[in-house]
Amino acid sequence: MQVRSVATTPFNDQKPGTSGLRKRVQVFCQAHYLENFVQSIFASIAAPPGATLALGGDGRYYNREAIQIILRMASANGFGRVLVGRGGILSTPAVSCVIRKYQTYGGIILSASHNPGGPDGDFGIKYNTANGGPAPEKITEAVYAASKKIAQYRIIDAPDVALDNLGDSKLGDMIVSVIDPVGDYAELMESLFDFAAIRKLLSGGFRIKFDAMHAVTGPYAREIFVNRLGAPPDSVINAEPLADFGGGHPDPNLTYAHELVEALYGANAPDFGAASDGDGDRNMILGRQFFVTPSDSLAILAANAHLVPGYQQGLAGIARSMPTSAAADRVAAALDIPCYETPTGWKFFGNLMDAGKVTLCGEESFGTGSDHIREKDGLWAVLFWLNILAARKQSVETIVREHWARFGRNVYSRHDYEGIPGDAANGVMRLLHERFGEWQGAQLGNYRVLFCDDFSYTDPVDGSVSTGQGVRIGFTDGSRIVFRLSGTGTEGATLRIYLESFEPDVAKHHLDAQEALAELIGIALEISELRERTGRDRPTVVT
Ligand code: VG1
Ligand code: CO
């Protein structure tokens, strides 16, 4: 088959964000757009001839077309084999699992995660390295640099590969192996958790509901919860992956997972509810009429890890992203293990896990995971909770309240202002940068400022430095306000305000987070001039 070199010119907007390159579908469908970026990846990763790649996506619109293009380009660029999920499907954690299990050189994931899909939605692409984790900044920067000077890409002329049948076929000199997207992942889960105990829990009247949000986790959830753990089939809802996610927003939070939320807050509610996002790496955990914040979830998993077979030997350490609450820090202190604070994005956890410094990682954005792979993992978190519930035989709410009683409660909320004009968002961030020197030691309402800074991180393993990771205002009582611009959106800017206070008093643990944080919310709006500068009087999404 003929390898062609196609002449192209650079696009100037192929800078990967928090998690790969995300753009509108129309942008990705432009001639040469995807090809330029894929060639820039290949130019930056120095794969030896004959190397193996993993490839799959969350099934969103343009997934199959993109896979055919990438396969033809991989063949033309000298790869020896590509492992691709049947139907082009692989969740983000499943890609990480496959890379590690089959020791591939790396992997390409097609997803815009929690962003809506469909012809008018978003598409995305991300490269993961041989450890199974998102490429570190050194690589994403090299990809961006390559994309700015690309002049040609390599591709072969060949008919489409049949993606729906398992097995091998040839594409030029390269082998395409279509693999079962679920099996390897389900087997890994079975090796970590006490499936027998969970099966017993589920057969004893404990009812669960999992919302796959018409995204990638449907087939995984069916195999694990229904086939392997014996849950009734209607325990998994919206289980059919659809190219437009059924018109929904595949983001597992109280706003977008409304069908699940209605079930868990309604009459005759199940005992446990959970949802995952577009590509299966996020999770939301609900009890009956009870929401577990992701920051608390990380802390609770850590505090109960000794109940779970895969973690009984103890935790090396915990890592959380900077805006994530300090609830996990308190557990780490009690366990006498280190706790690391990293910038937002899973790529910063990889080095810590590879070096054996941490076992559990988490982000406030509904992401939790461990060193079993190098991505956050939605179903893993759900199974971890089910394992704890099976061992403790208490309700979700009781487990959380007992946790707060022991460690205190880190009251937490995130307010997102989505789709605001870039100028207004940058204006707010600039103002905060200009002013935060003045606030050092200041009294703002009932709070005294302990420190203000723009978070920067030095990786303890390779010494690389990441600056500009969010403005933090810390108060003397441990409360915090953090401002950050999102790096995953595709339209306008999204400004995130993260709010946290610490409440040791059990008598106040029943308070609603928005009530408990009301004064901090007021301070955040005032010092940032957010209302004046954006014309918004309330956040788009509160989590
Ligand atoms: C968001 C979250 C971040 C997460 C990232 C990717 O990034 O805040 O914690 O790692 O999404 O998650 P940002 O830059 O928009 O705040 V996923 O599930 O969308 O790949
Ligand atoms: Co995701």
Side-chain angles (χ1 to χ4, degrees):
M1 254 166 252
Q2 190 64 33
V3 174
R4 276 196 296 136
S5 268
V6 179
T8 186
T9 50
F11 293 89
N12 59 12
D13 64 347
Q14 297 195 322
K15 185 176 168 57
T18 312
S19 180
L21 183 70
R22 291 188 191 170
K23 299 284 172 195
R24 288 278 148 143
V25 164
Q26 288 102 317
V27 173
F28 263 106
C29 292
Q30 293 172 83
H32 309 313
Y33 194 89
L34 174 72
E35 292 86 342
N36 276 18
F37 192 71
V38 171
Q39 190 65 51
S40 302
I41 293 175
F42 291 157
S44 310
I45 60 173
T52 301
L53 201 61
L55 175 64
D58 63 10
R60 68 178 60 223
Y61 187 85
Y62 198 52
N63 191 56
R64 279 177 177 262
E65 293 82 349
I67 284 190
Q68 299 291 352
I69 292 170
I70 296 167
L71 286 172
R72 290 203 293 272
M73 289 184 67
S75 176
N77 280 274
F79 283 88
R81 183 188 289 268
V82 176
L83 306 177
V84 56
R86 184 179 47 221
I89 293 285
L90 276 172
S91 73
T92 289
V95 173
S96 190
C97 165
V98 165
I99 292 173
R100 294 170 69 80
K101 180 167 179 177
Y102 299 103
Q103 297 179 354
T104 74
Y105 188 77
I108 291 179
I109 303 176
L110 303 174
S111 174
S113 189
H114 56 289
N115 298 15
D120 300 319
D122 289 343
F123 191 75
I125 173 167
K126 174 171 98 144
Y127 180 71
N128 281 28
T129 52
N131 71 348
E137 278 187 335
K138 200 172 68 186
I139 295 180
T140 56
E141 277 159 19
V143 173
Y144 180 44
S147 79
K148 287 192 286 192
K149 50 175 211 257
I150 188 167
Q152 54 188 26
Y153 60 83
R154 291 163 69 77
I155 192 161
I156 64 165
D157 290 318
D160 279 358
V161 174
L163 293 176
D164 294 312
N165 306 319
L166 297 180
D168 290 359
S169 60
K170 281 270 218 136
L171 187 64
D173 294 332
M174 185 182 85
I175 296 168
V176 178
S177 300
V178 177
I179 60 168
D180 168 17
V182 177
D184 295 316
Y185 177 81
E187 189 181 288
L188 177 61
M189 293 302 111
E190 216 160 343
S191 75
L192 296 171
F193 300 108
D194 188 346
F195 269 42
I198 300 173
R199 209 176 294 121
K200 197 160 159 224
L201 176 78
L202 298 182
S203 66
F206 186 93
R207 288 184 299 132
I208 66 169
K209 203 167 263 308
F210 178 82
D211 189 348
M213 303 189 82
H214 287 304
V216 80
T217 47
Y220 296 85
R222 270 200 187 130
E223 172 62 21
I224 293 171
F225 299 131
V226 180
N227 298 350
R228 300 198 186 201
L229 290 168
D234 66 356
S235 309
V236 182
I237 58 172
N238 300 319
E240 223 46 72
L242 298 175
D244 67 348
F245 307 122
H249 206 127
D251 198 354
N253 59 39
L254 293 175
T255 306
Y256 294 124
H258 45 82
E259 190 177 338
L260 179 77
V261 171
E262 275 153 33
L264 267 291
Y265 283 79
N268 193 24
D271 301 282
F272 177 83
S276 198
D277 69 333
D279 60 331
D281 55 359
R282 295 187 180 203
N283 72 92
M284 174 170 70
I285 303 294
L286 300 174
R288 188 179 286 159
Q289 277 127 37
F290 194 82
F291 166 68
V292 186
T293 69
S295 295
D296 279 344
S297 181
L298 172 65
I300 290 165
L301 298 192
N304 291 280
H306 59 281
L307 302 172
V308 177
Y311 302 88
Q312 246 149 15
Q313 71 284 11
L315 307 175
I318 306 173
R320 62 162 175 86
S321 68
M322 179 275 282
T324 304
S325 95
D329 304 38
R330 294 175 188 280
V331 177
L335 294 173
D336 198 21
I337 54 174
C339 188
Y340 297 86
E341 186 178 39
T342 60
T344 294
W346 211 261
K347 57 178 171 268
F348 295 101
F349 294 136
N351 276 350
L352 296 172
M353 290 192 272
D354 287 349
K357 289 180 180 295
V358 302
T359 309
L360 296 188
C361 304
E363 295 192 277
E364 49 63 44
S365 55
F366 299 83
T368 337
S370 88
D371 61 357
H372 66 293
I373 52 172
R374 293 293 181 275
E375 285 280 4
K376 55 189 189 268
D377 191 343
L379 287 168
W380 168 91
V382 176
L383 288 164
F384 206 125
W385 263 97
L386 288 174
N387 197 143
I388 293 170
L389 289 160
R392 289 187 49 166
K393 303 184 174 63
Q394 292 169 305
S395 71
V396 171
E397 178 168 354
T398 304
I399 288 173
V400 176
R401 291 198 185 281
E402 285 191 0
H403 185 91
W404 290 343
R406 178 170 166 213
F407 293 96
R409 177 181 175 194
N410 288 73
V411 185
Y412 190 83
S413 184
R414 182 176 107 183
H415 289 200
D416 292 336
Y417 290 79
E418 295 178 343
I420 54 181
D423 288 352
N426 290 329
V428 169
M429 292 308 287
R430 206 172 320 114
L431 175 83
L432 292 167
H433 276 120
E434 283 163 13
R435 297 244 179 106
F436 70 57
E438 298 165 21
W439 297 328
Q440 215 81 38
Q443 185 76 29
L444 302 174
N446 286 311
Y447 296 90
R448 179 173 294 279
V449 177
L450 179 66
F451 68 91
C452 287
D453 65 7
D454 188 350
F455 182 61
S456 71
Y457 175 68
T458 304
D459 186 300
V461 179
D462 66 14
S464 58
V465 177
S466 303
T467 57
Q469 299 294 327
V471 170
R472 313 190 282 181
I473 303 160
F475 300 96
T476 48
D477 69 345
S479 303
R480 285 195 314 170
I481 302 173
V482 174
F483 294 87
R484 222 191 119 248
L485 289 180
S486 157
T488 57
T490 56
E491 199 164 278
T494 293
L495 186 73
R496 306 200 195 283
I497 307 179
Y498 308 82
L499 303 134
E500 173 178 4
S501 70
F502 181 63
E503 182 54 77
D505 183 359
V506 180
K508 294 190 186 151
H509 284 173
H510 65 283
L511 283 183
D512 171 67
Q514 303 308 316
E515 260 171 68
L517 294 167
E519 186 179 353
L520 278 181
I521 294 169
I523 293 171
L525 292 177
E526 198 180 312
I527 60 176
S528 63
E529 298 179 2
L530 188 134
R531 286 186 169 150
E532 298 78 350
R533 286 168 179 268
T534 66
R536 296 287 181 85
D537 61 356
R538 70 179 64 122
T540 328
V541 178
V542 172
T543 48

